Amino acid sequence: MKHWMRLGFQVDAAGKVPVKVVARTFASGKTEKLIYQAFAELGLPSEKGDSMEKADFTFEKFVALYHKICPRNDIEELFQSITKGKSDAIGLIQFIDFLNDKQRDPRLNEILYPLYNEKRATEIIEEYEQDKDNRVRRRLSKDGFIRYLMSDDNAPVWLDRLDIYMEMDQPLSHYYINSSHNTYLSGRQFGGKSSVEMYRQTLLAGCRCVELDCWDGKGSDEEPIITHGKAMCTEILFKDVILAIRDCAFVTSDWPIILSFENHCCRAQQYKLAKYCDEILGDLLLKEPIPESPLEPGVSLPSPSQLKRKILIKNKRLKPDVEKQELELFRQGQFVITEDEEKEDASAPAAPIPEDKKEGEAAAGAPGEENVPLHAGSTSAVHPWLSSMVNYAQPVHFKSFQEAAQKNIHHNMSSFAETTGLNYLKTSAIEFVNYNKRQMSRIYPKGTRADSSNYMPQVFWNAGSQMVSLNFQTPDLPFQLNQGKFEYNGNCGYLLKPDFMRRPDRTFDPFAESPVDGVIAAQCAVQVIAGQFLSDKKVGTYVEVDMYGLPTDTIRKEFRTRMVPANGLNPIYNEEPFLFRKVVLPDLAVLRFGVYDENGKLLGQRILPLDGLQAGYRHISLRTEANFPMALPMLFCNIELKIYVPDGLGGFMDALSDPRAFMSANKERDNKLKDMGIEESETSKAALTGGKPAPAPEEEVKREEMKFEPVTLESLRSDKAFAKATKKHQKDLESMRKRQQKEKATIQKNQVSAVERIVKGKNKEEFINDPALKQLVAEQAKEWSELVGRHLKEEWTLLKEQLEAQQDILKTVMQGAQGAQLKQLDAKLEKENKDLKTRQAKMAVETAKEVAADKTLRNKAEKERRLREKAQNNTKKFIEERKITAMKQGKEREKLVAMHAKQLEDLNRDIQLNIQMYKNAEVEYQLANPYEFFV
């Protein structure tokens, strides 16, 4: 429509639209004869010299002409695939299926982002179908389908992302801020032209931080100037720049602006800087900190919302006590500027300055006080009035991340040359990210970029740097990435950093290769199908698709379509999809589409952040190299977005994301296989491994615990050492008993002899009542009882000693048997670990072979990336396997050790029970007061 309107303005002297002007639109791909024939078929003037009335050249006629000259065969194929070639229109159910299956991001929550239904599909048909009968029948013709595919309802990004959609109430340090370096220059850094217009254009482009290099004016009026000092650049007046900033500051965006002063002026001219800022900017200038965010350690910076339509000055500030004293004198008219203050000449030849000292507040070891900015040649004396206007952007000399954290002053900030910033990223990446959570940093191009080229900003965005300043006069790739990124959020110049780059309780490594906690890695596939109006010349064209993000996500110069020769109008590429298999951090990743002619000249480009990208068949409008919209040039692409799933887990992911569909598909498949005589059990594993065959049984590692015979008292008694000891103990016991028996026989004989002597010659009545005999019997009974008691004690003592000796022997034997079992188990576990490592090494080799043989991988870089991804997945799997194996082995060993401890405990208990039995017998015998005798 924009192009049609533009054609309507290119009228001839009679106010008519020349046919040849319209024909030029299609000249890059079609012959003149074909183009003019299309005019004739539509009833329009068809001769080269003809003109037509503007009223006759309606938008509908232009669209019809467009479709006739440039039939959308690419969409025709898609249309036929939806209708299955059986109808001239898409039915309602077919359209709903297409919207849900192809045009919807499967990662979206179905509650927050409901599936397309009849109501929504009908609304789309009502909006884009031109045929009334089709609308009534709720059908979509090819023409209506094309209109829908090219409409805002089918934009490649969520349209709300192009408005202010981010939270704007976070501290300033939590945002990326669109920033410009040496804003005044329109060309080179040396010998270049300075222009006030650059400030207007930069601010209108959405920039929120501009740079002003302020020098002393040399004229009679001594008006301060802005120029690239000592670089032979032209000069502009500071006052004119402030006027331009006032006029354009809040046209594109209402969010705060930061004026980054590089101040080389003497204090007398600094007074004019402050005066112009105060008088021209007026209430737009933030002269005092707001009550909610006092300039105190530990207090967060204010939010963009709190500073809406405010302009902040970034300039060196005096120490508080000095500023207070001098400001009071100034207000009383007593502040005196000494005559001998040295003035700097911006036109004087520049002395060589080491790279790390140029403009470098972060230059290591640079001299100066704590609050002195380290721009080479910057003034060390600040006018108190200008100083008092500085609040939330106070540049300080950067010493270390540790010292900055200890001071915890959020309104202090530092600037880093790109080389210095890269060095800090290499050595202290996580600390750099943490620093940027709290306070602001500014990155600027190194001094050797005399041609005003830009560095790649992505690496510093990855570190959370807020002001990644670029040369806006150079529309190179870094600038395109910058403008494409800041196109989001209403082009307001502020983008909220991801959650993990703001929260102090989260740790983020910008060089991480594995997913960040709480962030789901993505997979993105881009199929470039066709182009439209890519060039106004008959040239060959091709498309490159790159991704920028974390180092592990960045893929450049790898994915490129074939070149379609001699057709800049509507080339068909129909390439196989370019697959970005694993995007670790989608929040920071962007896709870049670059269209080039056969000579490598850029014809158009587009940057699309992955956060907010829509899946499906989309038309991607192109931008110029300076990121201005182009009316007609576009690409038709199919974009697939998924959650990244490691190899082998696709089936599980499908089952989790859509259980009903998964089970339904499985049931249908199983029924078909059952008809073929294949049982369900044979296919169940393949279903859960994403359709891949399940591992063969011999490949599956079945781990079984070793079974050990329990070491019992009975099993130990068969041991030779124990049998030998038992035999000796039995012999000792028998020997003792023989000795005791002999002693008993002797005493018994003696006692019988003594009785016989007393009763000799006496009758029964006489010796029964004989007192001597009674006394003798009593004495003998006592003697016999003592003998029996002594013998029992001797036997019990011997038995206890033998049991204790047996206990030591059994314990030694048991420990030997248990040690053999442990050794056997350890040998088994060692073999398991060796087999595991061998199996893992084999898998690594097979993975390398698989990647090398994968024909879908287009080049060496893609193969290396795929191998690295698979190796990372394997490493995780291997580590997990080893952890699980070690855990199982540990439990198995602990189980055996526990069993052994129980066996020892049972052995000791059994022996002690026997010993206690003899002790109990002895106690019972003593308590019974035994009286032994023999008959």
Side-chain angles (χ1 to χ4, degrees):
M1 183 170 285
K2 288 180 183 176
H3 188 74
W4 168 75
M5 291 173 68
R6 189 178 294 119
L7 292 173
F9 290 124
Q10 299 178 42
V11 294
D12 58 16
K16 296 182 178 182
V17 180
V19 169
K20 63 180 180 182
V21 170
V22 178
R24 278 201 297 266
T25 300
F26 308 99
S28 61
K30 305 295 178 183
T31 62
E32 279 191 358
K33 182 179 178 181
L34 189 151
I35 295 170
Y36 290 123
Q37 182 181 338
F39 275 82
E41 290 174 0
L42 289 173
L44 294 171
S46 56
E47 296 296 327
K48 190 172 184 179
D50 288 348
S51 296
M52 50 188 161
E53 296 289 343
K54 287 181 66 175
D56 296 334
F57 184 52
T58 63
F59 179 63
E60 286 70 23
K61 286 280 188 182
F62 179 64
V63 171
L65 185 67
Y66 158 66
H67 286 311
K68 186 168 285 291
I69 298 174
C70 305
R72 295 300 302 270
N73 296 327
D74 47 345
I75 295 180
E76 174 69 27
E77 290 182 19
L78 176 60
F79 183 83
Q80 293 298 328
S81 70
I82 297 171
T83 61
K84 298 181 173 55
K86 298 177 180 178
S87 174
D88 60 353
I90 300 172
L92 181 64
I93 301 302
Q94 290 176 327
F95 189 46
I96 293 171
D97 290 343
F98 168 74
L99 293 173
N100 285 321
D101 295 344
K102 300 296 184 182
Q103 303 297 95
R104 187 179 182 280
D105 188 340
R107 302 173 301 169
L108 295 176
N109 182 292
E110 290 185 13
I111 297 174
L112 298 177
Y113 300 92
L115 293 169
Y116 286 91
N117 54 24
E118 287 191 13
K119 180 183 176 184
R120 180 66 187 121
T122 302
E123 288 173 352
I124 294 173
I125 292 172
E126 290 285 343
E127 178 74 20
Y128 299 105
E129 177 55 51
Q130 302 296 299
D131 184 271
K132 184 178 179 181
D133 182 56
N134 279 333
R135 288 201 304 271
V136 171
R137 297 171 64 186
R138 296 195 294 181
R139 302 189 334 151
L140 197 62
S141 65
K142 182 186 172 185
D143 176 68
F145 187 53
I146 292 174
R147 287 174 180 270
Y148 163 68
L149 289 178
M150 297 180 69
S151 71
D152 281 349
D153 279 329
N154 194 52
V157 297
W158 294 99
L159 293 180
D160 65 340
R161 301 300 172 93
L162 302 179
D163 295 326
I164 303 289
Y165 75 97
M166 291 180 167
E167 181 185 353
M168 302 299 283
D169 295 320
Q170 299 269 344
L172 282 177
S173 56
H174 289 182
Y175 294 84
Y176 297 117
I177 303 173
N178 199 354
S179 303
S180 161
H181 167 253
N182 286 358
T183 311
Y184 46 88
L185 289 178
S186 59
R188 295 174 53 82
Q189 298 291 307
F190 288 88
K193 180 183 177 183
S194 302
S195 168
V196 174
E197 184 60 25
M198 285 302 298
Y199 285 93
R200 296 190 182 94
Q201 295 303 319
T202 300
L203 291 170
L204 292 174
C207 182
R208 296 289 90 185
C209 176
V210 295
E211 187 173 13
L212 298 85
D213 286 5
C214 308
W215 296 80
D216 289 330
K218 294 180 293 182
S220 57
D221 54 0
E222 292 192 341
E223 282 293 321
I225 58 172
I226 289 179
T227 185
H228 198 190
K230 306 182 180 181
M232 298 175 288
C233 294
T234 61
E235 304 167 357
I236 54 178
L237 292 177
F238 176 85
K239 181 179 181 180
D240 292 344
V241 169
I242 297 299
L243 285 166
I245 290 173
R246 180 199 65 186
D247 294 342
C248 300
F250 302 112
V251 173
T252 298
S253 167
D254 282 340
W255 305 99
I257 288 177
I258 298 173
L259 306 183
S260 181
F261 283 14
E262 184 180 322
N263 188 354
H264 301 265
C265 294
C266 66
R267 288 201 285 185
Q269 293 206 20
Q270 283 184 51
Y271 164 74
K272 291 188 176 182
L273 301 184
K275 182 173 180 288
Y276 293 144
C277 286
D278 182 57
E279 291 179 353
I280 296 172
L281 299 179
D283 291 339
L284 296 177
L285 182 66
L286 185 71
K287 303 168 192 173
E288 299 284 345
I290 62 176
E292 296 85 354
S293 297
L295 300 178
E296 297 173 1
V299 177
S300 297
L301 291 169
S303 69
S305 291
Q306 291 173 304
L307 302 177
K308 208 167 185 180
R309 295 188 64 85
K310 288 295 179 183
I311 297 173
L312 285 68
I313 291 176
K314 169 184 169 285
N315 188 77
K316 179 207 167 182
R317 189 168 187 180
L318 296 170
K319 290 184 177 180
D321 53 344
V322 175
E323 181 188 291
K324 183 179 179 181
Q325 181 182 3
E326 292 188 357
L327 190 60
E328 187 64 29
L329 291 172
F330 169 72
R331 286 171 176 164
Q332 295 174 0
Q334 300 174 8
F335 181 67
V336 178
I337 299 174
T338 55
E339 294 291 333
D340 57 350
E341 182 178 322
E342 185 177 347
K343 293 187 179 181
E344 272 198 280
D345 186 355
S347 62
I353 303 171
E355 179 57 42
D356 65 347
K357 300 292 181 69
K358 292 178 183 177
E359 216 177 307
E361 294 162 14
E369 297 176 284
E370 177 179 320
N371 286 337
V372 178
L374 298 181
H375 296 312
S378 293
T379 181
S380 58
V382 182
H383 194 284
W385 193 15
L386 181 61
S387 176
S388 69
M389 295 178 179
V390 179
N391 35 69
Y392 295 117
Q394 298 186 22
V396 298
H397 167 44
F398 180 81
K399 294 181 180 178
S400 72
F401 292 117
Q402 292 76 15
E403 182 171 315
Q406 288 171 0
K407 290 185 176 179
N408 197 23
I409 301 175
H410 295 218
H411 54 269
N412 282 354
M413 63 172 292
S414 295
S415 293
F416 304 86
E418 60 176 284
T419 46
T420 308
L422 281 173
N423 288 334
Y424 280 124
L425 264 179
K426 291 175 185 176
T427 58
S428 309
I430 294 175
E431 291 82 355
F432 205 165
V433 173
N434 290 337
Y435 173 91
N436 287 322
K437 293 176 184 177
R438 183 181 57 253
Q439 53 202 102
M440 294 190 291
S441 65
R442 177 176 172 270
I443 310 295
Y444 58 89
K446 59 186 179 182
T448 53
R449 292 187 183 273
D451 59 351
S452 294
S453 62
N454 286 305
Y455 56 91
M456 293 298 285
Q458 187 70 52
V459 66
F460 297 108
W461 288 332
N462 293 344
S465 289
Q466 296 82 3
M467 290 176 265
V468 182
S469 303
L470 300 179
N471 292 308
F472 269 52
Q473 70 271 36
T474 306
D476 51 11
L477 174 59
F479 175 77
Q480 292 163 15
L481 288 171
N482 185 80
Q483 293 306 92
K485 184 180 183 74
F486 282 102
E487 194 175 326
Y488 271 39
N489 204 33
N491 194 29
C492 75
Y494 284 80
L495 294 174
L496 187 64
K497 295 191 288 187
D499 172 81
F500 51 83
M501 300 179 77
R502 308 191 311 262
R503 285 172 47 182
D505 60 331
R506 298 288 296 274
T507 299
F508 171 62
D509 180 359
F511 295 103
E513 293 192 3
S514 55
V516 179
D517 287 345
V519 178
I520 300 174
Q523 185 176 101
C524 177
V526 178
Q527 181 188 21
V528 180
I529 300 172
Q532 298 285 312
F533 301 101
L534 300 182
S535 173
D536 56 2
K537 299 180 178 64
K538 278 189 179 180
V539 293
T541 60
Y542 64 90
V543 182
E544 287 184 357
V545 183
D546 299 329
M547 180 173 286
Y548 297 88
L550 292 185
T552 189
D553 293 339
T554 298
I555 299 174
R556 298 180 60 191
K557 302 295 182 184
E558 287 187 30
F559 295 141
R560 169 178 166 173
T561 67
R562 65 187 177 89
M563 183 182 293
V564 176
N567 187 355
L569 181 64
N570 59 344
I572 303 292
Y573 303 105
N574 221 9
E575 289 286 319
E576 286 297 312
F578 301 136
L579 181 61
F580 301 91
R581 282 189 54 82
K582 182 182 180 183
V583 186
V584 171
L585 200 55
D587 288 351
L588 289 179
V590 298
L591 277 176
R592 179 182 187 262
F593 296 83
V595 181
Y596 298 87
D597 69 11
E598 57 199 22
N599 299 313
K601 178 187 176 184
L602 181 68
L603 299 175
Q605 56 82 31
R606 185 71 185 274
I607 308 294
L608 296 176
L610 216 61
D611 173 31
L613 187 65
Q614 294 216 70
Y617 291 88
R618 311 283 174 174
H619 285 90
I620 299 172
S621 300
L622 299 179
R623 303 278 192 266
T624 66
E625 62 178 3
N627 210 54
F628 292 113
M630 304 172 76
L632 291 178
M634 69 181 76
L635 295 174
F636 183 50
C637 300
N638 181 23
I639 300 170
E640 289 187 7
L641 297 170
K642 297 179 181 178
I643 293 173
Y644 166 74
V645 181
D647 292 337
L649 297 179
F652 290 108
M653 194 63 211
D654 292 340
L656 288 172
S657 59
D658 194 349
R660 285 182 297 179
F662 180 80
M663 294 304 293
S664 176
N666 276 358
K667 188 174 181 180
E668 184 179 347
R669 183 205 64 223
D670 290 341
N671 289 336
K672 291 180 180 177
L673 291 172
K674 196 172 181 180
D675 294 339
M676 297 168 63
I678 301 173
E679 294 300 321
E680 179 182 353
S681 59
E682 298 176 43
T683 61
S684 58
K685 287 184 179 178
L688 287 175
T689 53
K692 296 180 182 178
E698 61 269 20
E699 294 177 355
E700 294 182 4
V701 181
K702 293 182 178 179
R703 190 180 185 282
E704 294 182 359
E705 291 189 2
M706 289 189 76
K707 303 295 183 183
F708 293 102
E709 290 294 327
V711 185
T712 62
L713 191 58
E714 289 71 23
S715 66
L716 293 175
R717 282 179 175 146
S718 62
D719 183 78
K720 290 182 180 180
F722 180 74
K724 184 178 179 181
T726 303
K727 190 175 180 181
K728 181 179 180 301
H729 290 164
Q730 188 63 33
K731 187 176 180 182
D732 290 345
L733 181 60
E734 290 174 357
S735 175
M736 184 191 72
R737 284 175 175 171
K738 285 180 181 180
R739 177 180 57 77
Q740 288 178 343
Q741 191 61 38
K742 187 176 180 182
E743 186 177 356
K744 282 181 179 180
T746 301
I747 290 178
Q748 190 176 19
K749 183 180 179 182
N750 290 339
Q751 288 184 349
V752 169
S753 297
V755 170
E756 285 177 350
R757 283 195 298 271
I758 291 177
V759 300
K760 187 177 181 182
K762 295 179 181 179
N763 59 30
K764 188 176 181 180
E765 286 84 2
E766 287 176 343
F767 69 73
I768 287 177
N769 297 316
D770 188 348
L773 180 60
K774 288 181 178 179
Q775 184 178 356
L776 178 62
V777 171
E779 289 174 354
Q780 287 183 348
K782 182 181 178 183
E783 182 184 14
W784 184 258
S785 295
E786 288 175 354
L787 176 66
V788 171
R790 180 165 53 78
H791 283 177
L792 286 172
K793 286 181 181 179
E794 285 178 356
E795 184 172 334
W796 289 335
T797 300
L798 179 61
L799 288 170
K800 286 189 288 184
E801 289 174 353
Q802 287 179 350
L803 282 172
E804 287 173 351
Q806 287 175 12
Q807 181 181 18
D808 292 339
I809 294 169
L810 288 171
K811 189 175 180 180
T812 301
V813 174
M814 178 175 276
Q815 287 174 337
Q818 291 175 341
Q821 289 183 348
L822 281 172
K823 191 173 181 181
Q824 189 180 352
L825 177 62
D826 288 340
K828 179 232 180 190
L829 300 183
E830 186 177 349
K831 185 177 184 303
E832 280 183 356
N833 290 332
K834 187 176 179 181
D835 291 346
L836 178 63
K837 289 177 182 177
T838 302
R839 192 166 64 255
Q840 291 178 346
K842 182 182 176 183
M843 188 183 293
V845 173
E846 289 174 350
T847 297
K849 289 180 180 177
E850 177 191 337
V851 172
D854 191 343
K855 302 299 183 185
T856 64
L857 302 177
R858 300 163 183 264
N859 50 51
K860 182 180 177 183
E862 194 172 355
K863 286 186 176 183
E864 288 176 352
R865 190 167 53 254
R866 183 78 174 112
L867 181 60
R868 187 165 61 248
E869 178 196 339
K870 281 182 167 284
Q872 288 172 356
N873 291 338
N874 283 345
T875 299
K876 288 179 184 176
K877 182 180 176 183
F878 295 164
I879 291 173
E880 192 62 27
E881 279 184 350
R882 293 184 187 186
K883 280 182 182 178
I884 293 171
T885 300
M887 182 177 68
K888 289 181 177 178
Q889 290 178 347
K891 286 183 178 179
E892 187 175 0
R893 202 173 195 283
E894 286 172 7
K895 185 178 178 181
L896 183 61
V897 169
M899 185 175 77
H900 287 168
K902 181 73 167 52
Q903 290 168 353
L904 277 172
E905 184 183 336
D906 291 345
L907 174 66
N908 290 331
R909 188 186 67 248
D910 290 345
I911 298 292
Q912 290 302 318
L913 283 173
N914 287 331
I915 292 173
Q916 190 63 40
M917 181 183 68
Y918 292 124
K919 287 181 178 180
N920 292 342
E922 185 177 354
V923 171
E924 288 174 3
Y925 182 78
Q926 290 172 350
L927 291 174
N929 192 19
Y931 185 75
E932 299 285 346
F933 59 91
F934 65 89
V935 180

